[in-house]
Amino acid sequence: QAEEELQAACARQALQLQEMGRRERLRRAEVGRAKEQLESFKTRVLRVCSPAAAGIAGSAVTEQQVIEKVRQISEESQQSHEREKRLQEELSSRLSKEEEVSKNVEAFKKSLCALQ
């Protein structure tokens, strides 16, 4: 009976080992795909940040330069959004004032007509 228990335990461990091996292969494949995606992304970012260096492997553009360029673009984008928001608020304010002036002009026209 002890021998059967040992064989069963050994079989369970063998199955666990197979499962662990399968999981490890899956993880390695996932890591490989993630590395490929990262390289593809880096290439696209390099292309956008420095079109002249796009096709050159090991170009003079460093990853730090790319990071700084992406950061700069991000900051410029945020500033543009903030400026757009301010302009929208200003436009809204001017439209409100214009509506008020139009109402006042209409009221003035009515008063003028009544006086005539």
Side-chain angles (χ1 to χ4, degrees):
Q1 184 178 359
E3 185 178 333
E4 288 175 5
E5 288 175 5
L6 282 175
Q7 286 178 344
C10 189
R12 281 193 306 274
Q13 286 183 343
L15 287 173
Q16 287 175 343
L17 188 59
Q18 285 178 342
E19 180 62 18
M20 288 173 60
R22 185 186 72 79
R23 287 181 184 174
E24 182 180 355
R25 286 189 300 279
L26 286 173
R27 297 297 182 263
R28 286 181 191 264
E30 288 173 2
V31 167
R33 283 191 298 274
K35 283 182 181 179
E36 289 171 6
Q37 289 174 344
L38 176 61
E39 286 304 316
S40 173
F41 178 72
K42 281 171 43 179
T43 301
R44 288 183 298 183
V45 170
L46 277 173
R47 228 178 258 135
V48 169
C49 293
S50 178
I56 305 170
S59 66
V61 179
T62 66
E63 285 186 24
Q64 186 60 37
Q65 288 170 320
V66 171
I67 290 168
E68 287 302 318
K69 184 67 174 181
V70 169
R71 187 175 289 131
Q72 176 189 352
I73 291 169
S74 176
E75 288 173 2
E76 289 172 1
S77 174
Q78 182 158 355
Q79 289 171 356
S80 293
H81 286 298
E82 289 171 0
R83 184 168 187 267
E84 179 184 4
K85 185 179 177 183
R86 283 193 312 271
L87 290 173
Q88 286 287 350
E89 290 170 355
E90 185 179 327
L91 179 61
S92 178
S93 173
R94 287 186 181 187
L95 286 173
S96 295
K97 287 177 184 176
E98 187 178 313
E99 285 178 24
E100 185 179 334
V101 168
S102 292
K103 287 178 185 175
N104 290 338
V105 167
E106 284 300 316
F108 179 71
K109 282 182 183 178
K110 286 180 183 177
S111 296
L112 190 58
C113 286
L115 286 174
Q116 289 178 345

